[in-house]
Amino acid sequence: MVLIMQEAKKSPIPLSFLIIYFDMKVMQRNNARSGPALIAAELPRPEPGEGELLIRVLAAGVTPPELGWYPSNYAKDGSPRKGAVPGHEFSGVVAALGKNTHGFQEGQEVYGMNDWFADGATAEFCVTQASSVALKPATLTHEEAATVPIAASTAWQGLVDRAKIQPGERVLVHGGGGGVGIFAVQLAHLHGAHVIATVSPNQMKLVAELGADEVIDYHASRFEDRTQKVDVVFDGVGGETLDRSWNMLKPGGRMVTIASIDDTAEQRVKDVFFIVEPNQQQLVEVAKLVDAGALRTFVNAVVPLEQASDAYNGSLMNKRGYGKVVITVPGDE
Ligand SMILES: NC(=O)c1ccc[n+]([C@@H]2O[C@H](COP(=O)([O-])OP(=O)(O)OC[C@H]3O[C@@H](n4cnc5c(N)ncnc54)[C@H](OP(=O)(O)O)[C@@H]3O)[C@@H](O)[C@H]2O)c1
């Protein structure tokens, strides 16, 4: 970047007529049949368009299955996509403003999401809609804040927007110790529900502390044998666990699932599956709950940008048994 500026100063052409490109470091999808999941590259730093913000990424959350999701492999028009930059949740600083981004200023610390089809936050910079971010929870580090947007928004949209949970209802959360499940358990508890969570043994103590009234070790027993029918199932596991859960619903009970499905899924599964969408108001509410100490988040492991491939190939997961893996990006330019 500096070299380009010096050349520009020496140039007989007035600076205002020069276009200066800034590069940024990214880790992008390796579409070769072998080798690491992600490879290092330099791409032009994106420019924020109307309604968009350029974010200086300081930390990005990792959702390993994302590499297999449709937007990581296809563009919006259906054409094959190569070299996608993954990681669509982040915490960082507003680096530049597009037009009509009222309410934001350069330098603000924010957290949020960006479009699944856009290049993500496993990079020094990313562009996002201003409506997809909110001020970072003040009590969290950037690493902690980067674990929140997708997980908390998914839990909120499943339980509140779709299942419309009510105080006193019985809510069964499958995968209650996972990245999303931890938020589903806490949000259901905050809504006054009776929470039942299926988890791994090393997550039982934590999930009970977070508000689950009944915690079931899915390795040791079948949930059907351990609890009564429920008003809501929030499924973060899918497959056989989802299949066995329909019978757990009381008459009028509601099911939501977030686990990936394909075209062969039953219609009733397609009807209750959804993909999380960025929602600024929800991020604002979540930040308030976090700062009030009512919602907790957990970092499993932190890896630098250049080692992001390890975070996506699964080798770092479950060091702690719960919490998300986070990529950190040094803040100096
Ligand atoms: N649709 C969306 O918008 C959306 C958004 C975010 C995530 N997702 C997807 O939703 C799923 C959950 O995401 P996540 O980030 O929470 O993943 P995660 O952190 O890997 O959590 C999954 C949890 O489920 C547990 N688990 C596995 N099998 C189970 C079973 N049979 N019964 C109960 N618990 C079981 C796992 O425990 P062990 O590892 O110890 O077995 C783990 O704690 C993933 O498939 C992810 O790709 C979808």
Side-chain angles (χ1 to χ4, degrees), residues 138-205:
T139 54
L140 297 186
T141 62
H142 284 285
E143 286 85 357
E144 290 167 333
T147 64
V148 176
I150 289 178
S153 304
T154 306
W156 190 298
Q157 289 166 29
L159 290 171
V160 181
D161 297 348
R162 290 176 169 261
K164 303 197 184 326
I165 53 166
Q166 302 298 321
E169 287 193 319
R170 291 172 56 81
V171 176
L172 172 59
V173 178
H174 287 310
V180 179
I182 277 173
F183 281 97
V185 166
Q186 293 181 90
L187 286 173
H189 174 68
L190 287 173
H191 275 79
H194 177 93
V195 184
I196 306 123
T198 60
V199 302
S200 275
N202 57 358
Q203 301 162 338
M204 293 184 79
K205 184 167 173 289

Side-chain angles (χ1 to χ4, degrees), residues 62-66 69 89 113 116 150-151 153-155 157 173-182 197-203 216-219 223 234-238 240-241 244 257-260 273-277 317-318 321-324:
V62 175
T63 305
E66 183 198 316
W69 292 354
E89 64 183 338
M113 292 173 61
W116 296 104
I150 289 178
S153 304
T154 306
Q157 289 166 29
V173 178
H174 287 310
V180 179
I182 277 173
T198 60
V199 302
S200 275
N202 57 358
Q203 301 162 338
I216 301 168
D217 170 1
Y218 81 88
H219 293 279
F223 54 85
F234 182 99
D235 168 47
V237 175
E240 187 226 7
T241 299
R244 286 164 41 213
T257 184
I258 59 167
S260 291
F273 171 77
F274 73 98
I275 294 176
V276 62
E277 290 174 3
M317 290 305 283
N318 273 335
Y322 51 83
K324 271 201 157 182

Side-chain angles (χ1 to χ4, degrees), residues 234-266:
F234 182 99
D235 168 47
V237 175
E240 187 226 7
T241 299
L242 172 61
D243 292 343
R244 286 164 41 213
S245 295
W246 294 98
N247 285 337
M248 289 301 294
L249 289 175
K250 294 179 185 173
R254 290 90 73 201
M255 171 80 75
V256 289
T257 184
I258 59 167
S260 291
I261 59 169
D262 60 27
D263 288 344
T264 63
E266 291 176 76

